[in-house]
Amino acid sequence: MGTCTTFAIKWFLPILKKHYPTISITSHAENDGQLIANVLNDTYNLAIVHSQPNNPELYSQHYRDEQILLTLLKNDPLAKKDHLSFKDLTGRSILVHEGANFWLDIFKKNIPKLNLLVQTNMPSLDKIVHDSPIPVFNSSLEIKKHDIPENKITIPIVDKDSFASYYVICKQKDFKKFKALFEFFTSKD
């Protein structure tokens, strides 16, 4: 299985294991183009991508949506805003987990003079978030899993590029193998 962000697989694994309890699962994070190629060449049976592919050989099903947020100190001048744009973050140093994958490229593309402080270990990142004044990128899907310190606030970023929809894809010919999984997503809409 391939995924466009390591967080997407974390959310997806319990669902996959529920429907296919006996299969063994390995996963790798790559960009959407590589993920699609690897599904088409049978390297992966399934992949999670963040843009719906337009390929008749693939079946795709909407999985979930995500919005990027920023967690920062309540006394930061930006904390007075109801929402932020990427331009508001120009020149800032901001923490992020390396598992954000494609989001890292979006941040670099949209935020001039950004200093991304990429962390590889989630417990270390959580500790830094609690002990440091440095803002951190957060998401609508991850925020529920982490305690936000009382002296910090989380504000949504509303640029078009701060939203992502995730799709689970497989080859059309393999759809029957994963029909129960795709029906589960359809029943959730």
Side-chain angles (χ1 to χ4, degrees):
M1 165 148 216
T3 182
C4 61
T5 168
T6 55
F7 295 115
I9 193 68
K10 179 175 72 172
W11 311 318
F12 187 76
L13 278 177
I15 298 165
L16 189 59
K17 287 180 180 180
K18 177 182 174 188
H19 286 86
Y20 304 96
T22 60
I23 66 170
S24 109
I25 303 164
T26 59
S27 66
H28 300 278
E30 299 175 327
N31 68 52
D32 277 12
Q34 192 62 50
L35 292 167
I36 290 167
N38 282 336
V39 168
L40 291 170
N41 72 24
D42 295 320
T43 300
Y44 302 139
N45 297 108
L46 294 167
I48 300 171
V49 295
H50 70 279
S51 55
Q52 190 167 24
N54 184 16
N55 185 317
E57 291 182 62
L58 296 173
Y59 178 83
S60 68
Q61 174 70 48
H62 178 262
Y63 168 45
R64 62 190 328 163
D65 298 313
E66 181 177 37
Q67 180 181 7
I68 293 299
L69 316 167
L70 187 73
T71 299
L72 67 165
L73 288 171
K74 288 180 179 178
N75 65 1
D76 187 296
L78 292 179
K80 295 177 180 127
K81 294 185 168 214
D82 292 333
H83 60 273
L84 300 170
S85 73
F86 285 134
K87 285 187 180 180
D88 292 326
L89 308 179
T90 298
R92 289 278 187 129
S93 294
I94 302 176
L95 291 161
V96 67
H97 190 273
E98 73 175 349
N101 297 67
F102 75 91
W103 286 114
L104 301 176
D105 293 331
I106 289 174
F107 300 150
K108 291 172 189 173
K109 176 183 129 194
N110 287 286
I111 305 171
K113 301 177 185 170
L114 174 66
N115 181 21
L116 272 179
L117 304 172
V118 181
Q119 300 298 305
T120 59
N121 181 286
M122 188 56 82
S124 295
L125 177 60
D126 285 342
K127 176 106 174 96
I128 295 169
V129 168
H130 279 270
D131 297 344
S132 164
I134 302 171
V136 62
F137 282 113
N138 213 326
S139 93
S140 56
L141 297 173
E142 282 295 308
I143 192 165
K144 298 168 189 145
K145 298 178 176 126
H146 302 281
D147 293 329
I148 304 298
E150 286 185 25
N151 65 337
K152 295 195 176 184
I153 187 170
T154 300
I155 302 173
I157 299 173
V158 296
D159 298 78
K160 183 183 97 169
D161 284 351
S162 69
F163 296 87
S165 292
Y166 296 104
Y167 300 86
V168 179
I169 64 170
C170 71
K171 278 184 153 179
Q172 285 282 359
K173 71 176 187 66
D174 293 335
F175 171 77
K176 286 183 182 176
K177 272 196 263 186
F178 302 107
K179 185 177 179 184
L181 180 68
F182 289 115
E183 286 176 347
F184 173 79
F185 293 126
T186 302
S187 71
K188 293 291 182 190
D189 292 338

